[in-house]
Amino acid sequence: DGTLSLQREDDGQSTRLWQVMDENGRFIAAVRIPREGRVLYASKQYLWMAEKGELDVPMMVRYRMVATNQR
């Protein structure tokens, strides 16, 4: 879809910040996700990741990207 998803610097929190840039390098959205998860796919609207649920059962989780005024 012409976007670039970037994991930002590690700030030591329990979540990680991912940002989405458009095809011209402009910031368009962000999402905070749990540190333990593994990102599988990202787009303008969603970030899909693998997480472990109860009893360490793997599951796929979808996070919605949220547009903000952050730069």
Side-chain angles (χ1 to χ4, degrees), residues 40-58:
L40 303 173
Y41 176 78
S43 70
K44 284 182 186 177
Q45 296 176 316
Y46 300 105
L47 185 137
W48 292 84
M49 61 184 295
E51 293 182 9
K52 288 196 177 181
E54 291 184 35
L55 305 174
D56 285 336
V57 175

Side-chain angles (χ1 to χ4, degrees), residues 7 11 20 30:
Q7 179 182 325
D11 57 8
V20 180

